[in-house]
């Protein structure tokens, strides 16, 4: 079985090469934006206007198993001030009196839809409506290194990645950018706009959080990814050239986002590695200090988070959404404003996800002692049920957990944050 894993050494070399290439592509002057067609969703007057925003189509990809529970929060928060967006799904249904989902799977071959077991859910819902959903369809089963193989909605989802490019072009043929997100993705629009302004949209761009399966490198779907129109068009053309529209290839692979990466690669569109601007985790599960892929997140703008439920989306919208904030929000800002206030010596009923060395101890105090004696230890967690004490040199916030107590070495953390300093310059990718 292929396993999903972050990239390592070869990856590092590739990053340097990519950065070098990107550097050479950058033009010094800001780009102007053509006036675009009228917005799909007229904005409330309280929303800021932005020339580039009118030239972006935002696609939220969902499915009938979650559309009614996970999408509505986005309509009043994340998407409220987005003039052009569409909800792509596996079933057409109204979400509001003026907004319907699209079925992006209807263009796949009838034989595939009629026979492939992945389409069992699709066939049932198309025959009898959402009432045909069973408790097993709605069960949010746990994620594994190869996704959620027991989840019917998840198995169907991989089929959306390739046909959704055509649907996106049909919905807004003149967009400069196509931004793809999911129901548990959060995007900081202000930062995204400032980022996208730096690119020449007459070129093919594929921006996303790099992932690797075997030797394929692609943008992780849930982190959100962005394609320029020439990139979307190239992929659509390329797919048309194959006799079965890549259906066999998708059938044989478990990850739809990976297949999209392969199609784009085939179409001559390389991935621009966008970590840490685009993230696979929520703010509480991010390590704010460490380097990854030769980059330290600290002075990079935050563009996306992932794995947020409706409450998380609403919370982030309150903290980072809206207009008038002026500056670009950097990882450092998120650390100082959202993370540091949650970091304290002792936090009962809390799991800070420390996942370094584990020892058995008698008490929370003893666990703290282990961390105190280890010069680089930043945090520890004591599991009251089994007496295990885990320490870590990384810094994370974590989440509530009944049988665990967590603590942080606040002085050490402040010292590290201090040494990373202020950000006189914003780091950008591309
Ligand atoms: C604490 O330990 C028990 C027993 O090993 C385990 O079942 C539980 O999941 C642990 N809690 C956490 C939050 O790791």
């Amino acid at each position: 079985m292929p396993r999903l894993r972050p990239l390592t050494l070869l990856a590092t070399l590739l990053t340097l090469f990519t950065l070098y290439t990107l550097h050479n592509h950058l033009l010094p002057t800001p780009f102007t934006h053509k006036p675009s067609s009228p917005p799909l969703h007229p904005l409330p007057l309280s929303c800021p206007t932005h020339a580039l925003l009118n030239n972006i189509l935002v696609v939220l990809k969902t499915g009938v198993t979650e559309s009614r529970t996970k999408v509505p929060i986005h309509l009043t928060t994340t998407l409220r001030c987005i003039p052009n967006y569409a909800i792509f799904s596996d079933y057409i249904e109204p979400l509001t009196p003026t907004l319907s989902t699209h079925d992006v799977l209807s263009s796949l071959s009838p034989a595939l839809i009629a026979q492939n077991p992945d389409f069992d859910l699709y066939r049932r819902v198309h025959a009898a409506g959402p009432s045909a959903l069973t408790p097993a369809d709605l069960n949010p089963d746990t994620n594994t290194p190869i996704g959620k193989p027991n989840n019917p909605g998840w198995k169907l989802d991989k089929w959306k990645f390739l046909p959704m490019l055509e649907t996106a072009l049909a919905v807004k043929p003149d967009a400069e950018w196509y931004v793809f997100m999911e129901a548990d993705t959060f995007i900081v629009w202000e930062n995204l706009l400032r980022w996208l302004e730096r690119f020449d949209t007459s070129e093919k761009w594929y921006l996303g959080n790099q992932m690797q399966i075997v030797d394929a490198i692609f943008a992780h779907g849930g982190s959100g990814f962005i394609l320029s129109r020439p990139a979307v068009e190239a992929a659509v053309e390329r797919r048309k050239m194959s006799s079965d529209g890549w259906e066999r290839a998708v059938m044989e692979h478990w990850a739809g986002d990976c297949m999209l990466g392969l199609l784009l690669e085939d179409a001559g569109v390389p991935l621009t590695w966008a970590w840490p601007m685009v993230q696979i985790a929520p703010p509480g599960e991010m390590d704010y200090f460490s380097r990854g892929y030769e980059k330290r997140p600290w002075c990079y703008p935050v563009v996306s988070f992932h794995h947020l439920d409706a409450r998380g989306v609403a919370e982030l919208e309150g903290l980072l959404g809206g207009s008038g904030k002026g500056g670009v929000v950097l990882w450092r800002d998120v650390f100082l404003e959202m993370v540091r206030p949650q970091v304290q010596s002792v936090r009962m009923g809390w799991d800070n996800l420390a996942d370094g060395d584990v020892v058995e101890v008698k008490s929370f105090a003893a666990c703290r002692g282990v961390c105190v004696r280890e010069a680089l230890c930043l945090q520890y967690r004591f599991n009251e049920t089994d007496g295990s004490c885990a320490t870590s040199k990384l810094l994370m916030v974590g989440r509530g957990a009944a049988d665990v107590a967590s603590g942080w070495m606040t002085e050490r953390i402040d010292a590290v944050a201090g040494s990373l300093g202020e950000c006189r310059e914003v780091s950008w990718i591309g």
Side-chain angles (χ1 to χ4, degrees):
M1 269 304 176
R3 280 179 62 91
L4 192 61
R5 60 192 158 86
L7 306 170
T8 49
L9 183 65
L10 169 68
T12 305
L13 295 171
L14 278 169
T15 320
L16 293 173
F17 176 71
T18 313
L19 285 177
Y20 174 76
T21 321
L22 277 182
H23 180 77
N24 289 338
H25 274 89
L26 269 187
L27 305 181
T29 49
F31 304 103
T32 53
H33 304 289
K34 295 184 294 294
S36 73
S37 48
L40 300 174
H41 308 279
L43 295 187
L45 284 174
S46 56
C47 288
T49 53
H50 195 291
L52 178 55
L53 192 54
N54 293 326
N55 289 287
I56 294 178
L57 177 69
V58 176
V59 169
L60 190 155
K61 177 172 68 55
T62 182
V64 68
T65 59
E66 61 167 38
S67 52
R68 275 145 298 138
T69 49
K70 294 189 181 168
V71 177
I73 180 71
H74 288 282
L75 305 180
T76 53
T77 56
T78 332
L79 297 173
R80 192 179 82 93
C81 290
I82 302 299
N84 301 292
Y85 66 85
I87 313 296
F88 284 7
S89 180
D90 36 40
Y91 183 66
I92 298 174
E93 60 185 333
L95 291 181
T96 72
T98 54
L99 179 71
S100 255
T101 57
H102 296 254
D103 172 11
V104 296
L105 299 178
S106 62
S107 63
L108 294 174
S109 70
L112 176 82
I113 293 175
Q115 288 154 23
N116 189 289
D118 290 350
F119 286 81
D120 169 64
L121 167 80
Y122 186 85
R123 292 189 294 264
R124 273 188 285 128
V125 170
H126 281 250
S131 63
L133 293 171
T134 65
D137 294 331
L138 301 169
N139 182 25
D141 82 324
T142 43
N143 221 337
T144 74
I146 55 157
K148 305 177 182 181
N150 298 317
N151 181 311
W154 186 85
K155 285 195 292 188
L156 192 55
D157 192 67
K158 75 169 178 181
W159 291 98
K160 295 170 194 159
F161 283 88
L162 304 193
M164 77 177 176
L165 299 184
E166 264 121 309
T167 316
L169 281 181
V171 168
K172 188 164 172 61
D174 65 347
E176 288 183 54
W177 292 104
Y178 295 83
V179 174
F180 295 90
M181 61 181 289
E182 299 182 0
D184 57 354
T185 314
F186 184 87
I187 293 181
V188 183
W189 299 114
E190 196 65 34
N191 281 2
L192 176 68
L193 291 171
R194 296 221 187 177
W195 184 32
L196 295 183
E197 266 175 347
R198 305 169 60 83
F199 295 87
D200 177 354
T201 54
S202 68
E203 292 186 30
K204 299 179 198 126
W205 292 108
Y206 172 32
L207 316 175
N209 186 2
Q210 61 269 24
M211 280 281 147
Q212 181 176 15
I213 296 177
V214 195
D215 55 0
I217 293 176
F218 61 97
H220 174 248
S223 306
F225 59 92
I226 303 130
L227 292 165
S228 64
R229 187 177 64 230
V232 176
E233 288 169 345
V236 166
E237 284 312 308
R238 186 78 197 169
R239 179 160 165 262
K240 276 189 194 144
M241 285 162 61
S242 100
S243 56
D244 73 343
W246 282 56
E247 285 182 4
R248 170 150 296 276
V250 174
M251 198 183 309
E252 286 167 358
H253 204 284
W254 59 269
D257 43 8
C258 181
M259 294 316 295
L260 178 60
L262 287 171
L263 175 64
L264 283 158
E265 188 188 352
D266 232 42
V269 187
L271 175 68
T272 296
W273 294 18
W275 190 95
M277 297 179 68
V278 181
Q279 285 291 343
I280 197 170
E285 291 172 33
M286 158 101 196
D287 169 21
Y288 289 80
F289 293 160
S290 303
R291 286 174 178 277
Y293 311 109
E294 299 287 304
K295 298 187 177 77
R296 202 189 286 284
W298 203 241
C299 294
Y300 281 90
V302 284
V303 168
S304 79
F305 297 103
H306 181 227
H307 281 154
L308 293 148
D309 56 12
R311 222 192 62 195
V313 168
E315 209 176 321
L316 278 182
E317 177 69 17
L319 286 159
L320 300 172
S323 61
K325 284 193 66 98
V328 177
V329 181
L330 307 179
W331 280 107
R332 175 179 186 270
D333 302 318
V334 177
F335 170 79
L336 292 177
E337 285 163 35
M338 293 172 64
V339 171
R340 183 59 186 87
Q342 302 207 57
V343 164
Q344 44 204 257
S345 312
V346 180
R347 194 160 181 184
M348 309 304 286
W350 192 264
D351 181 357
N352 66 17
L353 308 173
D355 67 349
D357 296 340
V358 180
V359 290
E360 249 180 67
V361 294
K362 293 232 150 43
S363 65
F364 179 78
C367 185
R368 180 176 180 81
V370 174
C371 190
V372 168
R373 287 189 294 276
E374 172 66 58
L376 296 177
C377 179
L378 293 185
Q379 62 180 46
Y380 51 95
R381 62 194 273 262
F382 178 62
N383 183 327
E384 284 149 11
T385 309
D386 62 10
S388 65
C389 168
T391 56
S392 176
K393 294 169 188 165
L394 309 183
L395 168 77
M396 275 196 217
V397 174
R399 54 185 170 230
D403 54 350
V404 182
S406 292
W408 288 266
M409 306 300 290
T410 54
E411 283 177 20
R412 291 179 189 173
I413 287 166
D414 289 338
V416 175
S419 74
L420 293 176
E422 294 172 18
C423 299
R424 283 205 199 90
E425 277 181 32
V426 176
S427 308
W428 294 100
I429 288 167

